[in-house]
Amino acid sequence: MSFNGDFGRVSQGDEDEEVDPTLTKRDSSWMSCYYNMTNTICGAGVLALPFAFASTGWTLGIFLLVVGAYFGYVALYLLTLVVAKQGVPTSLGSLVEPLGSTISNLMDGFMCLYLFGASCIYLVVIGDAMPDAMEQMGASESLQSRYLWVCIGFAIAAPLSIPHNIDFLKDPSSAAIIFLFFIMMVIFFYALPEESTGLDACAHKDYDDDDTTCRGPHDADGVKFGEVLKVVSIFFFAYSCQITAFPVCNEIIEPTMKRLDAVWRYSIGSAFVLYLTVAVCGFATYGGNIEANALSSYPKVTLVSVARVMISCVVALSYPLQANPSRRCAITLMERMWDDGSKPSPGAQRIRYYAYTACFLGLSLLIGLTVEDLGVVVELVGAVGSSLLMFVLPGMLFLHYFP
């Protein structure tokens, strides 16, 4: 397969980007692509996996993690085949365009909404996690303000969301991965016997009865089909990252099926190790008593507070990886609706680029500050968006380009 294409929209230097900020720079190393893909896959959702295990039990939970990883990888592989046939640089909009303008417009519009919702959720997570962490660390009341930490998280994420090329995000993504693996190790050590680590998972619980424990049952006998259905999406959508495949294919140096396939395999594999460790160890520690946000079950001590701070940093550093593809979809949609198939002038492209970025950032900050629970609507949009990216679009595009 070849990744040849029209490189007229590939930047040759910083001066070109100042004229048209949407030009692609092919300067991403393999490691840069790995960092960004892994950061896209992993996120705050990892903390829901122990709770999902409480509904599925050991065997079914591990099986669903494996199946989710498999489908996530297959979706990426199919998209790579399609991109190789169509040529790079490419985008979701250009790939679905042959399916008809109506479908293309709906797809790009829905992806903008889906990714915007995910970014809002990230700011809400920061607003929920950081005040609790500050309280546990004995900070003053002024440092426990939800509004303060939403603004700080936004101040970190906003500048990283402006550049078009995701190679710019390799350092923030690598930092996010380090933070996630620190959280994984905290959960792992709490799962070990207290005698060997000195960490008491029930230290924060004050029970009148000495026989009462914070640890719940671990058996799978109580698994119910209805409960499994409620959490099965957690396993599959943990690997939802396919929207980032397009910029990776565009920017990686020497794009080949072998190099891209290695990015997908190692990114999915790293996420699987992280997910499996957190899910198994969190469930082993608290059993059926684990909370939906696993860190909420752990003692209010400095080590866990640091983990809370780190998960807030993770979502702040993951925010740009939602803003970036959302803007790509929006610009493609605007080109299709307003330019009648012709390329817009660099000036018009620059205005659209920065106008959409400003609207995306401003509206997400407004929602993050004013809304504490985004409710069922955003959850539904997220579930549908993840389903499209992971199960529907890759297969549909493969069948169209390889009839």
Side-chain angles (χ1 to χ4, degrees):
M1 300 299 293
S2 170
F3 284 84
N4 294 326
D6 177 13
F7 290 90
R9 294 183 64 77
V10 177
S11 172
Q12 303 301 318
D14 293 336
E15 292 183 2
D16 290 339
E17 291 180 78
E18 291 177 6
V19 174
D20 184 353
T22 66
L23 293 176
T24 298
K25 286 182 72 174
R26 174 163 289 170
D27 59 358
S28 293
S29 66
W30 187 93
M31 284 302 299
S32 172
C33 295
Y34 164 77
Y35 291 146
N36 284 320
M37 280 303 299
T38 305
N39 187 25
T40 303
I41 299 170
C42 304
V46 65
L47 298 178
L49 285 169
F51 175 77
F53 262 53
S55 297
T56 61
W58 299 105
T59 305
L60 182 57
I62 294 173
F63 173 76
L64 288 173
L65 271 181
V66 172
V67 172
Y70 172 76
F71 278 110
Y73 166 74
V74 169
L76 288 169
Y77 185 78
L78 293 179
L79 287 175
T80 311
L81 290 174
V82 172
V83 171
K85 185 170 183 178
Q86 198 247 15
V88 290
T90 190
S91 64
L92 174 64
S94 63
L95 290 179
V96 300
E97 198 161 354
L99 302 179
S101 60
T102 301
I103 293 179
S104 301
N105 292 341
L106 287 174
M107 199 66 66
D108 278 326
F110 185 82
M111 284 298 121
C112 290
L113 178 62
Y114 159 61
L115 294 164
F116 174 76
S119 299
C120 294
I121 289 173
Y122 286 172
L123 293 179
V124 171
V125 168
I126 295 171
D128 289 343
M130 286 304 299
D132 289 343
M134 292 298 102
E135 181 183 4
Q136 291 171 15
M137 298 172 79
S140 63
E141 286 192 16
S142 61
L143 291 177
Q144 297 177 30
S145 168
R146 179 181 183 277
Y147 303 109
L148 170 66
W149 288 108
V150 169
C151 290
I152 291 176
F154 177 80
I156 294 171
L160 299 175
S161 303
I162 297 174
H164 177 68
N165 293 283
I166 65 170
D167 182 64
F168 179 80
L169 299 173
K170 60 179 180 293
D171 292 330
S173 289
S174 62
I177 294 169
I178 292 172
F179 295 154
L180 282 167
F181 275 84
F182 174 85
I183 295 166
M184 179 190 78
M185 294 309 299
V186 170
I187 293 175
F188 171 75
F189 281 116
Y190 266 105
L192 298 177
E194 181 184 350
E195 298 77 17
S196 60
T197 63
L199 299 174
D200 181 9
C202 297
H204 59 307
K205 303 294 184 180
D206 185 17
Y207 296 112
D208 295 332
D209 184 358
D210 292 339
D211 295 329
T212 304
T213 177
C214 67
R215 304 175 189 273
H218 296 86
D219 61 275
D221 295 337
V223 172
K224 299 178 180 179
F225 182 72
E227 295 299 315
V228 172
L229 284 180
K230 291 179 181 178
V231 300
V232 70
S233 62
I234 295 175
F235 294 97
F236 289 108
F237 303 145
Y239 299 95
S240 179
C241 60
Q242 289 69 27
I243 195 68
T244 307
F246 303 112
V248 168
C249 290
N250 291 342
E251 297 179 29
I252 190 171
I253 300 170
E254 299 179 6
T256 63
M257 284 297 300
K258 183 178 180 180
R259 282 169 62 78
L260 287 165
D261 188 58
V263 174
W264 313 149
R265 285 189 285 107
Y266 281 98
S267 298
I268 293 285
S270 299
F272 177 77
V273 171
L274 172 70
Y275 291 162
L276 184 65
T277 305
V278 170
V280 168
C281 294
F283 182 52
T285 303
Y286 293 106
N289 290 341
I290 191 76
E291 295 188 36
N293 179 345
L295 287 180
S296 299
S297 299
Y298 285 83
K300 296 181 178 182
V301 296
T302 302
L303 183 63
V304 178
S305 297
V306 171
R308 285 179 177 271
V309 172
M310 287 191 171
I311 200 64
S312 298
C313 292
V314 168
V315 296
L317 297 175
S318 298
Y319 177 104
L321 288 168
Q322 307 300 317
N324 186 290
S326 175
R327 181 174 55 228
R328 291 170 185 261
C329 290
I331 289 174
T332 303
L333 181 61
M334 286 186 275
E335 287 180 358
R336 193 182 298 116
M337 294 177 66
W338 296 341
D339 298 317
D340 226 7
S342 61
K343 289 295 180 184
S345 67
Q349 195 75 304
R350 187 166 59 250
I351 291 172
R352 294 173 190 177
Y353 182 93
Y354 290 113
Y356 183 81
T357 302
C359 290
F360 186 100
L361 295 176
L363 288 174
S364 64
L365 175 61
L366 179 63
I367 292 175
L369 288 171
T370 57
V371 178
E372 297 185 19
D373 183 3
L374 295 177
V376 177
V377 174
V378 170
E379 292 178 6
L380 179 61
V381 171
V384 174
S386 298
S387 300
L388 280 173
L389 286 171
M390 193 165 175
F391 298 113
V392 179
L393 269 177
M396 183 174 67
L397 290 173
F398 179 79
L399 290 175
H400 176 78
Y401 284 91
F402 295 89

